[in-house]
Amino acid sequence: QARPPAPSLARPAFRARPTSPLVDAMSAADIEAVRKAVQAVDVPSEAKALFLSDLSGTGGVLLSAALTDAQHKAAKELRSASEAVAAADAELATCKEALAGAEKQAEETSVAADEAKAKVTTLNKAAKEADAEHKAAERDGTTQAKYWAQLREEHEKASAICDGSLKLLCEGGWIDEDVKAASVQAVESLLSDIGVEKVLASAAPFALGTAPDLRKPFDTMVVEGVAECVAGKVNELKMKIDEDSTAERLAKVELLGLWAIAACSMDDAGKAGEAEVEASASNKRAHTDEGLARKRLKTLTTRSTALAASKAMCEEAADMIEEATAAIARLKAEPPPAAEEA
C-alpha cells in the first residue's frame, strides 16, 4: 500500500478565528519559533512534519514531549559546557600566574647573569693587574736579590782574606814561598777590588811578602795601611748588609703578599666565571620555561574560547527550546487563523 505523503513543514494548520494585526504578528513569531525548534529536534523528518500538522492535537503533544527531552538534553549539555568552561578558566588563570612567575624569573635571572658577567670582567681585570704587579715585584726582587747576594759574597770574600791571607802575611806565618805568594796574590786582588791608592797598591806586595822582623818602617806603614783598608772594607760591607737586611726581609714579605693577592684574585675570578656559567644556564632555563608557559597559555586560550563558544551554542539551543515550548502553549491556547497558501 502506498505511503501517504508527509505534510509540508511550511506552516502548521489551525482553526480559523477572528484576529487582529497584533495577534497575527504574535502568532507568526510563535510559529517561527516552533518551526526553528522542530528543525533542531533530533527526530525523523516525518515526525517533524506530523508535529507541525497537528499542533492542537496529537502532534502538539508529541512535539511537547520531544521538546521536553531536548530541553533535558540541552540542560545537561549546558551543565557540561559550563563545567568545562569553568575548569578551562581556572586552568587558564593558573597558567597566567605561572607565566607571570616565569616572566619574573626570566627577568631576575637576566639581571643576575648580567651582574655575574660584569663581576667576571671586573675580577679578571683585577687578577691581571695583581698578577702584573706581582711579576714586576718579582723581577725587581730578583735584581735586588742578586745585589744582596753579591754584597754578601764580597763581604765573605773580604772577611776570609782579612782573617786568612792578610793576617798570615801580617804575622809572617807562611810556611813556604808558595803559600806566601798565594796569600799576597789574594790580598792584592782584594785591594784592586777595593780601589786603594796606587802607591799603597804597588807597595803592598813587597811589604806583605817581607818577614815582620825584616820590614822597614815604610813596609810596616804599608802593611798597617793595607790592614786598615781591608778591615774598613769588611766593616763597610757588614754595615751595608745589616742596613739592607731589613729591606730584604720586607721585600720578601711584600713579594709574598703580592703573590697571595694575585693568587686570591685569580681564584676569585675563576669562581666568578663558574658562577657566570651557572647564572647564564639559569637564565636560559628561565627563558625556556617562559616560552613554554606562553605556548601553553596560547593553547589554553584557544581552548577556552572554543569552550565558551560551545557553551554559548548550548545556551542558545536551550533558550530556543524554552521559547518554542512557551510558543506552543500560547498557540494551543489561542490558535491563529489558518494561513493562506503560498
Side-chain angles (χ1 to χ4, degrees):
Q1 188 175 358
R3 189 174 185 180
S8 172
L9 296 181
R11 290 180 183 272
F14 290 96
R15 294 186 307 273
R17 63 171 289 174
T19 184
S20 67
L22 177 61
V23 172
D24 288 344
M26 293 175 61
S27 297
D30 287 342
I31 291 172
E32 184 61 27
V34 172
R35 290 183 62 194
K36 288 175 62 177
V38 168
Q39 295 298 330
V41 174
D42 187 18
V43 295
S45 60
E46 293 83 355
K48 294 179 182 180
L50 177 61
F51 293 160
L52 295 175
S53 66
D54 189 20
L55 285 177
S56 299
T58 304
V61 174
L62 294 176
L63 178 57
S64 295
L67 290 177
T68 299
D69 291 341
Q71 193 171 27
H72 291 162
K73 181 180 178 182
K76 182 178 179 181
E77 290 177 349
L78 180 58
R79 284 195 300 272
S80 298
S82 298
E83 292 173 358
V85 169
D89 288 344
E91 190 174 6
L92 187 61
T94 301
C95 184
K96 288 180 179 179
E97 292 179 1
L99 176 58
E103 289 175 340
K104 182 180 179 182
Q105 183 68 15
E107 182 179 358
E108 291 176 350
T109 54
S110 293
V111 172
D114 291 341
E115 291 177 348
K117 184 177 181 180
K119 186 176 182 180
V120 167
T121 301
T122 300
L123 291 179
N124 279 337
K125 180 180 179 182
K128 288 181 180 179
E129 290 175 351
D131 184 57
E133 187 176 1
H134 169 252
K135 288 181 177 178
E138 193 172 35
R139 287 191 298 269
D140 295 342
T142 300
T143 303
Q144 193 65 32
K146 289 180 179 179
Y147 166 75
W148 286 324
Q150 182 180 357
L151 195 63
R152 284 191 292 270
E153 184 179 350
E154 290 177 2
H155 175 261
E156 291 173 0
K157 177 181 176 182
S159 296
I161 292 174
C162 182
D163 296 336
S165 298
L166 181 58
K167 184 178 180 181
L168 176 70
L169 293 172
C170 289
E171 296 175 352
W174 59 81
I175 56 176
D176 56 38
E177 290 298 318
D178 291 338
V179 173
K180 182 181 76 170
S183 298
V184 170
Q185 185 177 4
V187 174
E188 189 175 8
S189 175
L190 178 58
L191 293 175
S192 176
D193 294 338
I194 295 174
V196 298
E197 296 179 359
K198 293 183 178 181
V199 175
L200 182 61
S202 60
F206 178 80
L208 292 171
T210 301
D213 55 344
L214 299 177
R215 289 172 186 161
K216 305 296 181 181
F218 177 76
D219 296 332
T220 301
M221 183 179 66
V222 170
V223 171
E224 291 175 354
V226 170
E228 184 179 353
C229 287
V230 172
K233 185 62 176 180
V234 171
N235 291 333
E236 178 188 349
L237 294 172
K238 182 64 170 61
M239 288 177 63
K240 285 185 178 181
I241 292 173
D242 292 342
E243 290 174 358
D244 292 345
S245 60
T246 301
E248 185 177 9
R249 285 194 301 272
L250 291 176
K252 289 181 178 179
V253 171
E254 181 182 5
L255 183 62
L256 181 61
L258 291 174
W259 171 84
I261 292 174
C264 290
S265 296
M266 292 179 67
D267 185 57
D268 291 343
K271 291 180 179 179
E274 294 174 359
E276 182 194 8
V277 172
E278 178 59 30
S280 179
S282 296
N283 184 37
K284 185 176 181 180
R285 288 193 297 269
H287 280 285
T288 299
D289 293 342
E290 180 187 7
L292 292 175
R294 288 187 184 281
K295 184 177 181 180
R296 178 166 175 75
L297 179 62
K298 183 178 179 180
T299 300
L300 291 179
T301 300
T302 302
R303 178 187 171 195
S304 180
T305 302
L307 289 174
S310 178
K311 178 185 175 183
M313 292 178 62
C314 291
E315 290 174 341
E316 183 179 351
D319 290 343
M320 180 182 66
I321 293 171
E322 184 179 355
E323 181 181 353
T325 302
I328 290 174
R330 287 193 297 271
L331 290 170
K332 283 182 178 181
E334 298 182 4
E340 296 181 359
E341 292 298 330

